[in-house]
Amino acid sequence: MHPPQPDITGSRPITMPIYQTSGFAFDDPAVFADALSRPDGAFAYGRYANPTVRALESAVADLEGGVAGIATGSGMGAVNCALLGLLGPGDHLVAQKSLYGGTAAMINELAERFGVSVTYVSGDDPDAFRAAVRSRTRVLYLETLSNPLNHVADLPGMCAAARELGVVSVVDNTYATPMLCRPIEHGADIVVHSTTKYMSGHTDVVGGLTVHADEELWRRVWRFSVELGATADPFASWLTLRGLQTLPLRMERHCANARHLATRLAAHPAVAEVHWPGLPGHPSYELAAKLLPDFGGVLAFDLAGGRAAGERFMKAVRLALLAPSLGGVETLVMHPATTSHRTLSAEELARHGIGEGTVRIAVGIEHPEDLWADLSQALTG
Ligand SMILES: *Cc1c(COP(=O)(O)O)cnc(C)c1O
């Protein structure tokens, strides 16, 4: 059966409709053929493009100051479209030392199975990057704010050096969001996002996105994303679009709550150190103040009592939930030494800057006094 489609001329929907269709019908075979060859032709097949997905891509490209975006089924989908779309066997990648775990694992795969060589440098050391570049260096990979210690990348310095040396810079801007940083304005070529986090913001979507400063690279990565099949789903894209409408409001509250908790934690006797770049004394404090209008909603702190104190704290929180991920309206806590980084030895943990008593908090948008009441009872309990 072919159900009739109502005529909606004369008015238009206020919100973006969900185009829940895998394909589109054509009147003209030439238009059909053209649609499959480029990302800006007519809509043809859902793996190539979809109007709801396109609305999300355009919205985020606009927020980031890019020419276009490619939405993917997850943040790792976006990371892989960028890396695999740009790198081939024998190529060289320069990456920042501390990276999101999934990205770090993927880079290991690239090195072990796909013949890509990798050099790690500090994200705020353009001279080290320059020294690492070789004739086959294709990509510089950075994160605006690193996990979990919040080191800030020197985007202007690093991206300018990459431009000068003909290396494509890719920046994961998941933690900062375009509310705190627009890497393309600092010279980045490609921005990647896990929209699972702040962009969608309500812990109900997995998604990702690449945003491009350059049209040729956008076409190249789009072609690869179509071949890889990393495509975003229209409903997930619609949820993300809905989340985006409140991104500025939520980010303001995430950052304000993080400041409130960071300040209180820093003064608490059970806490040895707080890692939030808005606090003087953080290694990235000065760079952060220069680059960012606010300092993000994720903070980490070291409990003076080490691993035992960390485990006790995790069991004692009530309002904050013990869970992975970040960027949602709920506050989530994690103890890296016994969860995300549990396989590492004490020395390896130290190399990542993670102590046995390090706790990560993805601060939500709850009332700050409710949050502090919960954390302080968990610290003393
Ligand atoms: C979560 C995350 C990713 C991966 O995103 P998924 O949506 O989980 O695939 C990549 N980078 C950063 C910084 C993240 O926090």
Side-chain angles (χ1 to χ4, degrees):
M1 191 192 67
H2 295 176
Q5 301 205 357
D7 181 1
I8 62 160
T9 51
S11 66
R12 58 190 185 278
I14 292 173
T15 64
M16 184 66 204
I18 305 170
Y19 281 87
Q20 196 67 38
T21 183
S22 61
F24 295 79
F26 291 86
D27 296 321
D28 182 344
V31 178
F32 182 8
D34 175 67
L36 295 173
S37 69
R38 57 194 176 101
D40 44 359
F43 293 103
Y45 181 52
R47 179 155 50 77
Y48 288 60
N50 171 285
T52 313
V53 177
R54 176 60 49 77
L56 172 64
E57 293 168 338
S58 303
V60 178
D62 191 46
L63 285 173
E64 287 283 5
V67 294
I70 301 164
T72 55
S74 71
M76 284 312 299
V79 170
N80 280 321
C81 281
L83 290 179
L84 296 170
L86 298 171
L87 290 162
D91 284 342
H92 177 234
L93 161 74
V94 180
Q96 170 184 310
K97 269 179 200 157
S98 56
L99 290 165
Y100 174 72
T103 306
M106 186 60 211
I107 289 177
N108 285 341
E109 293 267 356
L110 285 175
E112 284 163 23
R113 300 204 297 133
F114 296 93
V116 172
S117 54
V118 186
T119 305
Y120 293 98
V121 298
S122 184
D124 59 0
D125 192 346
D127 291 335
F129 166 65
R130 281 173 197 281
V133 169
R134 310 172 192 166
S135 61
R136 294 289 299 270
T137 307
R138 301 279 181 249
V139 176
L140 166 66
Y141 192 93
L142 302 169
E143 293 178 357
T144 314
L145 286 164
S146 79
N147 172 30
L149 301 184
N150 279 311
H151 288 291
V152 178
D154 175 8
L155 295 181
M158 299 294 279
C159 295
R163 278 267 158 106
E164 195 188 308
L165 297 166
V167 174
V168 175
S169 55
V170 179
V171 179
D172 184 331
N173 199 34
T174 300
Y175 269 50
T177 83
M179 296 302 111
L180 302 186
C181 184
R182 290 152 51 103
I184 288 172
E185 287 178 355
H186 298 297
D189 295 306
I190 299 178
V191 175
V192 300
H193 276 284
S194 167
T195 53
T196 311
K197 316 291 170 53
Y198 293 109
M199 295 286 223
S200 62
H202 295 76
T203 328
D204 50 13
V205 187
V206 173
L209 219 130
T210 65
V211 180
H212 300 261
D214 172 272
E215 216 178 288
E216 190 264 319
L217 280 180
W218 168 54
R219 287 175 197 280
R220 194 164 133 198
V221 174
W222 174 79
R223 168 61 53 197
F224 181 75
S225 79
V226 165
E227 288 160 359
L228 189 66
T231 317
D233 171 75
F235 182 54
S237 300
W238 182 85
L239 282 170
T240 307
L241 269 172
R242 191 163 88 151
L244 269 188
Q245 323 250 1
T246 54
L247 180 66
L249 300 174
R250 288 185 286 105
M251 280 312 283
E252 236 179 84
R253 182 62 170 259
H254 284 296
C255 292
N257 277 359
R259 174 180 296 282
H260 185 85
L261 297 182
T263 311
R264 295 266 184 110
L265 285 165
H268 197 283
V271 175
E273 195 171 351
V274 179
H275 309 278
W276 190 67
L279 292 181
H282 186 280
S284 296
Y285 176 69
E286 274 155 32
L287 185 56
K290 225 167 47 188
L291 214 57
L292 313 172
D294 210 333
F295 306 99
V298 182
L299 62 89
F301 64 93
D302 301 330
L303 284 163
R307 192 182 193 97
E311 288 181 33
R312 244 190 345 264
F313 180 84
M314 290 297 129
K315 286 190 191 140
V317 286
R318 297 198 192 105
L319 179 60
L321 304 171
L322 174 56
S325 199
L326 61 112
V329 295
E330 311 88 356
T331 294
L332 308 178
V333 297
M334 246 181 69
H335 184 224
T338 54
T339 55
S340 57
H341 297 71
R342 68 191 174 284
T343 55
L344 304 190
S345 66
E347 295 87 71
E348 286 173 314
L349 280 175
R351 212 175 55 227
H352 283 75
I354 298 166
E356 303 259 353
T358 302
V359 171
R360 187 188 85 175
I361 309 186
V363 182
I365 63 167
E366 300 93 337
H367 194 288
E369 289 308 330
D370 290 345
L371 280 175
W372 179 246
D374 188 34
L375 299 193
S376 55
Q377 68 79 25
L379 286 169
T380 48

